[in-house]
Amino acid sequence: MKPEEILQNLPYAKPFLFVDELLYVDENGAKGLFTFSQEMDCYKGHFKDHPVTPGVLLTECCAQIGLVCLGSYLLGQESSATIAERLQIALSSSEMEFLLPVFPNETVTVVSEKVYYRFQKLKCKVKMFNEKNELVCRGTLSGMLIKRMDAE
């Protein structure tokens, strides 16, 4: 499955899509980019006069690139149905450490490494880097990749 196919079939849309480009995805991990545009609503009230990206959105970006894109790829290896027809995903746990702020108009790179995938549970280590290649945050994310029964 190609990165473009995964992006086209993600279960998100703007303003809640946090993947601009999927650089690669394989059975061991994924890497992608996202730019936090200064036009995003979160900057209107999150530290007025000194906007910074909320950690929950950094976590969501890591989850969409590192967990959902990778999970979509892995499910694509198991089934002939399209991702959109069969993917339901639920984040089951997250543990993130935030090291640097992300400001409006910054582009980040998320790198994911699969820890395991079994019984439809995917666990990944994720790292986010800023444009200077500095580590912004890192953590471990887990989710359940549920196959819709009516899609097969």
Side-chain angles (χ1 to χ4, degrees):
M1 179 171 294
K2 296 179 183 177
E4 307 83 48
E5 294 174 277
I6 292 170
L7 287 178
Q8 290 172 358
N9 290 295
L10 287 175
Y12 309 103
K14 289 189 183 270
F16 207 75
L17 175 64
F18 296 101
V19 186
D20 289 331
E21 184 178 357
L22 189 56
L23 300 174
Y24 78 80
V25 60
D26 64 22
E27 64 277 353
N28 297 308
K31 182 177 183 178
L33 304 173
F34 182 72
T35 300
F36 287 92
S37 166
Q38 71 181 16
E39 304 305 317
M40 294 173 67
D41 282 341
C42 66
Y43 295 124
K44 294 176 183 172
H46 195 249
F47 300 113
K48 62 182 181 177
D49 302 323
H50 300 288
V52 68
T53 309
V56 68
L57 295 183
L58 299 179
T59 301
E60 182 64 27
C61 181
C62 287
Q64 287 187 18
I65 294 171
L67 194 69
V68 179
C69 288
L70 176 56
S72 297
Y73 176 86
L74 294 171
L75 280 176
Q77 303 303 304
E78 297 176 356
S79 171
S80 60
T82 67
I83 296 168
E85 290 173 329
R86 71 178 180 287
L87 177 64
Q88 293 180 319
I89 188 160
L91 185 66
S92 59
S93 69
S94 66
E95 182 178 324
M96 296 294 290
E97 178 181 17
F98 302 98
L99 306 167
L100 292 173
V102 173
F103 299 106
N105 289 329
E106 277 198 76
T107 298
V108 296
T109 302
V110 174
V111 179
S112 163
E113 177 186 340
K114 180 181 74 177
V115 175
Y116 65 78
Y117 174 57
R118 60 180 170 266
F119 306 114
Q120 277 67 57
K121 184 168 184 176
L122 176 60
K123 183 175 185 176
C124 300
K125 290 183 181 181
V126 293
K127 293 180 181 177
M128 178 183 283
F129 299 90
N130 63 19
E131 294 169 354
K132 297 177 187 174
N133 205 33
E134 298 169 317
L135 185 62
V136 170
C137 62
R138 62 182 167 211
T140 303
L141 302 173
S142 298
M144 297 299 297
L145 306 174
I146 303 161
K147 295 180 198 175
R148 288 180 35 201
M149 298 310 235
D150 60 344
E152 296 291 331

